[in-house]
Amino acid sequence: MSLESKRIGFGLTGSHCTYDAVYPQIQKLMDENAEVIPIVSYTVRNIDTKFGKAEEHIEKIESITKRRVISTMPEAEPLGPKEPLDIMVIAPLTGNSLSKFANALTDSPVLMAAKATLRNRRPVVLGISTNDALGLNGVNLMRLMSSKLIYFIPFGQDNPYKKPTSLVANMDLLAPTVEEAINHKQIQPVIIPYSN
């Protein structure tokens, strides 16, 4: 299936170590001639880490998508009623944002765009990257996995012996997951051996 002309919201949250795996996937969507609307959490917009400065990440995202990132709640709000998306992707999705999304909290532009997409009865694809998916956040993961219109990029344990509760999506499967989710199907298998 072609993603040409599909309006794809692409949200990034604060798993800074995962950005380098995500950037090529945004480019793949662009190569399919999709319209990619970048949306970032406050953490992505403002926090410098050992994985790069916030401004560098913003510049990279904007250079790939050829669009200014949406980084405030007022900027994200029109994605619901006025400028609806065909599908929303959040990758990486941190445990913090996962828990908020599972409990209907809207405190970032990314979560506002995701909830607006669900309100419009359109699919949301999640690419998790969290150290506690098999810990306290497990209940939130399962809540989202059993929710209508929410689909997951296949994921696995990235370091089961040193970080036994950690799960990370295989971002190389992002575009195929989006293609399936547009047709309201979960790509399978969803739980896989992790490789980076």
Side-chain angles (χ1 to χ4, degrees), residues 39-97:
I39 309 152
V40 298
S41 68
Y42 300 123
T43 299
V44 178
R45 184 74 186 104
N46 297 304
I47 303 297
D48 297 337
T49 72
K50 66 181 180 180
F51 299 103
K53 295 186 178 299
E55 198 54 48
E56 293 169 349
H57 292 301
I58 298 303
E59 288 173 6
K60 178 76 171 176
I61 296 162
E62 291 180 340
S63 72
I64 296 170
T65 62
K66 311 291 191 270
R67 295 179 70 107
R68 194 172 71 80
V69 299
I70 292 172
S71 61
T72 69
M73 300 285 266
E75 291 170 343
E77 194 277 333
L79 296 176
K82 295 180 183 176
E83 302 169 21
L85 302 168
D86 291 308
I87 191 166
M88 174 78 187
V89 176
I90 308 176
L93 175 69
T94 62
N96 185 49
S97 291

Side-chain angles (χ1 to χ4, degrees), residues 75-130:
E75 291 170 343
E77 194 277 333
L79 296 176
K82 295 180 183 176
E83 302 169 21
L85 302 168
D86 291 308
I87 191 166
M88 174 78 187
V89 176
I90 308 176
L93 175 69
T94 62
N96 185 49
S97 291
L98 180 148
S99 66
K100 291 176 180 180
F101 191 35
N103 289 283
L105 300 177
T106 309
D107 68 348
S108 78
V110 172
L111 295 180
M112 174 167 272
K115 285 184 68 180
T117 302
L118 290 179
R119 184 179 68 194
N120 290 334
R121 301 293 186 254
R122 304 283 172 80
V124 175
V125 168
L126 304 178
I128 60 173
S129 179
T130 172

